[in-house]
Amino acid sequence: MKKYETGMVLVVFFIVFISGSFAESRDIEKASDAEKKGNITEALNIYEEWLAGNQKSDNYYRILLHMCNIEPDPEKSLKIMKKYEKTVSKENTGDYYNRMAILEEMTGEIENAEKSYKKAWELESGNAAYSYLLSSAVMLFYMGNLRDAEKEALTVSKKSNDNYTAAKSRFLISSIYAANGNMGKAAGELEYLRKKYPDSNLIPSVLSKLIFLYREQNKNEKSKSLLQELKNKYPGSIQYKILASGNNGRIRYFPNPAFLLNGNIRKGSEMFNIQAGSFGIKENAYYLVRDLKKIGFNAHMTEVNLKGKRYYRVIVGPVRNIASAQKMIDRLTEKGFSGFMVK
């Protein structure tokens, strides 16, 4: 009798387990069907109901990420991530904060993005961790905190076992040196990259920055030689097209860590500005504003205080929406500058 009762309990448990799995599958299938029909709001509601009752499911993290990915508005997607932040299992938190940081960067929340990248670095291990720390360093650079940006970038360059991540960190370090006015050290970093990683897809950017630097220092023979190298090896690159156009000889060298991190910006409907630079020296910001105005950009300088230090940011804009901001960034890139979106 006891064996029979035990058997019945196991059968009931199995039926309940299977029923729950079927219900889980039906809900996901229903949401998927809504997606296929283009009913994204309906799909999001179904997924959200499913998440509320299935926190222990093996599919929980996958469904949460999928829900964030199908939300077309990056700000709403970010709200979803923040809402479920505390429900993510420990093994996924590093990846989760990295994804959150990318959305924060896309929507102009640069300071929050830096914090999230830093959290991701603290929670991860291995090469992925140093990739997150590099992203944190880039955000610090954007904010004008060059000292801490350099410190983090140097850590990445020394400790990362991934050659591409290490190369990107050295590229950022060269940008930091240039922003501080140390063109010699900036050129030294770029020459190191050119020799150490000759096949890296960073090389067109490295060569173009070296050309700008050598032009700035009136080292015309070196700049001509590098331009020929860029033409021979990367004739179709945007860097060569910009430099070969002949319209950028007067444009000052400007560090462009945007080459390190590229995101797809989606639709929005608010006013945005483009930050084209941030400097600890007011004169550098003034020169950049002047050069941008000369070629038709609505540029101005603002002052901010970070951790007791004053920085001078160069702002272009405002523009009406994210699409216009992206076009403005593309225009800046075409002219040899760089920029990122801020609210």
Side-chain angles (χ1 to χ4, degrees):
M1 189 67 178
K2 285 183 180 179
K3 287 184 181 180
Y4 173 76
E5 288 174 353
T6 302
M8 285 299 292
V9 169
L10 290 173
V11 169
V12 170
F13 175 79
F14 180 74
I15 292 172
V16 170
F17 175 78
I18 292 296
S19 298
S21 298
F22 282 149
E24 176 181 321
S25 179
R26 281 197 304 270
D27 288 340
I28 294 173
E29 190 175 328
K30 188 178 176 182
S32 181
D33 287 341
E35 277 186 68
K36 290 174 184 176
K37 294 174 183 176
N39 299 325
I40 301 301
T41 301
E42 181 185 344
L44 287 167
N45 289 335
I46 296 170
Y47 283 132
E48 190 146 22
E49 288 178 12
W50 183 90
L51 288 174
N54 292 276
Q55 287 193 20
K56 294 184 179 180
S57 170
D58 292 339
N59 291 319
Y60 183 84
Y61 188 59
R62 181 178 65 83
I63 296 298
L64 174 55
L65 292 184
H66 182 70
M67 190 169 76
C68 294
N69 288 337
I70 66 170
E71 170 53 66
D73 185 333
E75 292 189 346
K76 290 181 180 178
S77 184
L78 181 56
K79 284 181 180 178
I80 293 170
M81 294 204 80
K82 288 183 176 179
K83 178 179 178 180
Y84 289 95
E85 180 180 351
K86 302 298 183 184
T87 69
V88 177
S89 59
K90 188 175 180 180
E91 64 267 23
N92 292 318
T93 49
D95 176 68
Y96 196 71
Y97 278 115
N98 178 56
R99 293 171 185 269
M100 186 185 293
I102 292 169
L103 281 172
E104 287 168 335
E105 186 182 351
M106 286 173 61
T107 54
E109 296 184 23
I110 302 302
E111 292 184 18
N112 287 337
E114 191 278 323
K115 291 175 184 175
S116 294
Y117 280 130
K118 189 70 66 62
K119 283 182 182 178
W121 172 66
E122 291 167 350
L123 291 161
E124 274 290 348
S125 59
N127 288 327
Y130 289 109
S131 174
Y132 301 157
L133 185 61
L134 176 60
S135 297
S136 169
V138 172
M139 297 301 100
L140 289 167
F141 180 92
Y142 281 160
M143 291 188 289
N145 187 346
L146 302 182
R147 186 184 63 180
D148 289 343
E150 181 182 352
K151 197 178 295 183
E152 291 187 359
L154 284 169
T155 298
V156 175
S157 70
K158 291 174 182 176
K159 295 189 176 181
S160 175
N161 293 321
D162 179 70
N163 284 340
Y164 188 54
T165 301
K168 289 193 293 184
S169 68
R170 300 296 288 260
F171 188 85
L172 177 58
I173 290 166
S174 75
S175 298
I176 293 167
Y177 289 155
N180 278 323
N182 197 331
M183 301 304 181
K185 287 185 75 173
E189 284 293 325
L190 293 170
E191 289 287 8
Y192 170 84
L193 284 173
R194 180 178 161 223
K195 293 171 184 174
K196 178 76 173 178
Y197 306 103
D199 300 320
S200 170
N201 60 11
L202 282 175
I203 294 301
S205 299
V206 169
L207 290 173
S208 68
K209 297 306 177 188
L210 274 170
I211 292 166
F212 276 122
L213 277 172
Y214 289 142
R215 283 182 180 178
E216 188 82 4
Q217 299 171 68
N218 294 317
K219 296 180 179 179
N220 296 326
E221 290 304 315
K222 280 191 173 183
S223 66
K224 285 179 183 177
S225 174
L226 290 173
L227 181 60
Q228 188 62 45
E229 183 178 338
L230 187 62
K231 178 183 178 180
N232 293 341
K233 293 183 178 179
Y234 309 97
S237 67
I238 187 172
Q239 291 87 352
Y240 175 69
K241 289 177 181 177
I242 290 169
L243 290 164
S245 68
N247 296 323
N248 295 280
R250 292 177 292 111
I251 294 176
R252 294 170 63 85
Y253 170 83
F254 179 69
N256 184 4
F259 280 108
L260 308 182
L261 297 170
N262 293 314
N264 296 315
I265 297 177
R266 291 174 277 182
K267 294 180 181 178
S269 58
E270 297 183 40
M271 297 295 287
F272 295 89
N273 288 300
I274 310 303
Q275 182 171 311
S278 183
F279 303 89
I281 301 171
K282 189 175 184 178
E283 185 184 17
N284 289 344
Y286 166 79
Y287 284 131
L288 181 56
V289 169
R290 184 192 66 181
D291 289 347
L292 288 170
K293 283 183 173 180
K294 280 183 179 178
I295 54 175
F297 288 99
N298 178 24
H300 62 278
M301 180 172 59
T302 63
E303 297 182 17
V304 294
N305 286 294
L306 291 171
K307 295 183 178 179
K309 186 174 180 181
R310 181 167 293 180
Y311 295 96
Y312 303 90
R313 292 178 176 176
V314 177
I315 302 296
V316 177
V319 293
R320 291 187 175 277
N321 51 48
I322 291 179
S324 298
Q326 184 62 59
K327 288 179 183 177
M328 186 70 74
I329 292 168
D330 292 341
R331 278 186 60 207
L332 284 165
T333 302
E334 287 170 5
K335 297 294 184 181
F337 294 92
S338 67
F340 69 95
M341 182 176 53
V342 293
K343 289 184 181 178

